[in-house]
Amino acid sequence: MRSRRLRAGSEVVIVVERLHRRSGIAASSAPLPLRCPLPFLQRIRAIREYHTGQIPVRDAGGPVTAAMWGPAAPMVVFATSPAAIHDVLGRSDAFIEKGIVHREMRWLMGDNLFDLPHEPWLPRRRAVQPLFTKRHVRGFAGEMVGAADAVAGEWGDGAVVDLDAQCRRLTLRALSRSILGLDIDDRADRIGENMRIANGYVADRALRPVRAPRVVPTPARARARAAVASTLGLAGEVVAASRNNPDGAAPLVRALMEAADPQTGRTLTDEEICAELLVFIGAGYDTTATTLAYTLWELGRNPEIQAAVRAEVDALGGRPPTPDDLPALTFTVQVLHEALRLCPPAPAVGREAVQEVLVGGFRIPRGTILIAGTYAVHRDPALWDDPLTFVPDRFRPDRMRSLDRWQYLPFGAGPRSCVGDHFAMLEATLALAGIVRAVAVESVRPDFPTAVPFTMVAAAPVPARVRRRAA
């Protein structure tokens, strides 16, 4: 049975999907996804540049489209509608599991919540999940306010600063103190570079249709392993120091030491704690920094929105914001949600079909690489009015209730969604409020260039002029 479009735009209603869901027909009787009609080089570019590449694939082939990329490579299927993404991310790991990116990361960085397959992941998640409840993350996020004050305090009145570089400085400063209990300003650049090398290697190798065996030495692999070893060494020093000094200031390290699987009582080994610290730094560093940089860039282009954020922060009485102020910063949170819509930290989520399954009414063979296209869904004109315009009012509480659960996914969704989403939002809100409290921002660059070496990052400097506000 052929699929047909029932309405204009990129949101496609698949008739066959409805029939199969209602009748319970097995996946084996459903049709294969339509092949992407784009030329071969454009398909390769879409897979390699998988954030912006999702949209031409969707527009050419529909919300479930297969993109072949080599005779020896597995089929890649882009899922770019809320219903299709639900079928990818909402399924049990018995059908759809973590894929090649996660296997490459596990080999390079060790076992952590991001890369573990289901069986070893489940007890780790049970142990770590309680540390990231809304109540607990308040104790980790306070460092972001001090970091924002310190970094913004160095900006001269009228100076032009690189928002990307400056947001990386303050994010790593805050993360290092909240996670490691260290002041690592003198090592921040090196740690950041280590994580970029490691993440870039993982993504680049995973997105190659043909990969050299791991036993073959390459310069890129040597650099990546050295980068990981350097950061793991620092994490090991912190864990050892925390074991020797229970009163040391490393709040997340101490929390990880005390974490236990509620079903088995098993605690984490020091090696497992170091692996989790590595991924928390790696995941939190690029994602939070890029979200802040993008948000400030948008505020610098939209002075009326910036003024509304500033008025909300000023209503706190001129003092630095705290985690207790989050309920009073509702518009600031809306601004961040809109930034995360247009510049999601994870513009795509990769999975692999470990059994034959249905996605959007189509049969997905075992071994297929699945790409859940968050970037395409967040910018779909069939789902969002004027989708490329920055409109924080989309995320007013009354409007958010009308959104499809699967059309806004800045932190993923389903059983393997990001464990640190509350932490990330709290940190970003406090940092943004702190910066807007100190300076006014005027964007110099008309665009925000992006790249996805692993998560979404700025592809070039993002200059902005800052004006100090009167105390």
Side-chain angles (χ1 to χ4, degrees):
M1 181 183 298
R2 293 176 61 86
S3 64
R4 61 185 177 89
R5 295 177 184 267
L6 298 184
R7 73 181 202 185
S10 60
E11 173 65 7
V12 180
V13 179
I14 305 296
V15 174
V16 68
E17 177 180 4
R18 291 177 173 174
L19 292 175
H20 280 273
R21 283 180 172 172
R22 290 174 182 172
S23 63
I25 297 173
S28 59
S29 62
L32 289 168
L34 302 177
R35 291 200 176 195
C36 179
L38 294 174
F40 177 72
L41 290 180
Q42 290 186 38
R43 297 199 305 270
I44 293 295
R45 189 177 303 116
I47 293 170
R48 298 285 295 178
E49 301 173 3
Y50 53 85
H51 59 315
T52 55
Q54 300 167 25
I55 293 176
V57 169
R58 177 200 65 197
D59 292 346
V64 183
T65 303
M68 311 307 292
W69 62 327
M75 181 166 64
V76 176
V77 171
F78 286 83
T80 53
S81 73
I85 290 176
H86 169 266
D87 287 344
V88 174
L89 300 184
R91 275 191 201 277
S92 160
D93 287 349
F95 296 92
I96 294 177
E97 248 286 19
K98 297 272 182 159
I100 180 63
V101 171
H102 308 92
R103 290 194 293 273
E104 291 295 335
M105 172 179 272
R106 191 180 184 192
W107 177 83
L108 181 66
M109 301 185 188
D111 294 349
N112 58 64
L113 276 176
F114 183 78
D115 62 29
L116 280 168
H118 179 78
E119 189 172 343
W121 166 81
L122 189 58
R124 183 77 61 91
R125 177 82 177 210
R126 287 196 302 255
V128 173
Q129 176 75 58
L131 308 184
F132 289 94
T133 61
K134 290 183 180 181
R135 180 173 62 88
H136 276 89
V137 298
R138 298 163 85 86
F140 304 146
E143 295 290 350
M144 187 58 93
V145 178
D149 283 347
V151 172
E154 298 172 3
W155 301 342
D157 187 37
V160 174
V161 302
D162 176 5
L163 294 176
D164 177 57
Q166 295 300 312
C167 288
R168 287 177 180 279
R169 284 183 60 214
L170 75 88
T171 298
L172 192 53
R173 179 174 184 156
L175 283 173
S176 63
R177 292 176 180 176
S178 62
I179 291 177
L180 303 178
L182 291 179
D183 184 343
I184 59 169
D185 287 359
D186 59 334
R187 290 179 279 179
D189 289 344
R190 185 58 193 160
I191 292 173
E193 181 63 19
N194 282 343
M195 298 316 302
R196 284 192 292 274
I197 290 171
N199 289 338
Y201 171 81
V202 167
D204 182 70
R205 180 172 164 82
L207 294 174
R208 290 184 179 276
V210 179
R211 291 173 288 276
R214 290 178 182 143
V215 296
V216 177
T218 66
R221 185 171 299 130
R223 286 193 298 271
R225 297 191 74 167
V228 168
S230 174
T231 308
L232 278 175
L234 174 62
E237 292 175 19
V238 172
V239 172
S242 296
R243 293 284 188 201
N244 295 329
N245 179 16
D247 297 324
L252 185 55
V253 175
R254 297 232 54 84
L256 286 169
M257 288 179 175
E258 296 165 3
D261 180 348
Q263 291 192 15
T264 66
R266 182 184 179 276
T267 57
L268 302 181
T269 67
D270 286 1
E271 183 180 5
E272 290 169 338
I273 292 172
C274 288
E276 295 298 346
L277 293 175
L278 184 68
V279 78
F280 290 152
I281 293 172
Y285 173 56
D286 272 342
T287 56
T288 304
T290 303
T291 297
L292 282 174
Y294 184 87
T295 307
L296 289 167
W297 174 76
E298 285 283 14
L299 293 184
R301 300 169 65 239
N302 295 278
E304 71 289 349
I305 298 176
Q306 185 174 174
V309 174
R310 185 167 62 246
E312 191 170 70
V313 175
D314 287 347
L316 299 178
R319 58 175 173 77
T322 72
D324 292 333
D325 294 318
L326 197 63
L329 297 172
T330 54
F331 186 70
T332 304
V333 172
Q334 288 174 212
V335 166
L336 283 165
H337 278 308
E338 179 69 342
L340 288 164
R341 181 183 71 83
L342 287 167
C343 188
V349 180
R351 292 290 188 266
E352 183 176 316
V354 295
Q355 295 189 38
E356 187 174 75
V357 293
L358 279 173
V359 172
F362 291 97
R363 175 165 56 92
I364 305 300
R366 178 181 178 181
T368 299
I369 295 173
L370 291 156
I371 297 178
T374 302
Y375 189 88
V377 167
H378 282 194
R379 292 168 174 250
D380 192 335
L383 300 172
W384 309 90
D385 294 332
D386 198 10
L388 302 186
T389 301
F390 192 76
V391 183
D393 272 355
R394 300 181 203 275
F395 292 97
R396 283 191 343 225
D398 58 319
R399 292 189 177 182
M400 284 193 74
R401 285 192 289 270
S402 67
L403 296 181
D404 186 300
R405 169 67 184 87
W406 297 88
Q407 79 177 75
Y408 177 63
L409 309 162
F411 300 105
R416 299 293 290 257
S417 60
C418 177
V419 71
D421 54 353
H422 296 314
F423 183 36
M425 279 302 297
L426 181 56
E427 281 203 315
T429 303
L430 295 176
L432 183 62
I435 292 170
V436 171
R437 172 176 169 265
V439 299
V441 178
E442 179 185 346
S443 295
V444 172
R445 183 170 184 144
D447 65 330
F448 190 96
T450 58
V452 189
F454 191 75
T455 57
M456 189 91 89
V457 298
V462 185
R465 190 175 304 280
V466 294
R467 304 283 185 187
R468 300 212 62 80
R469 298 189 62 209

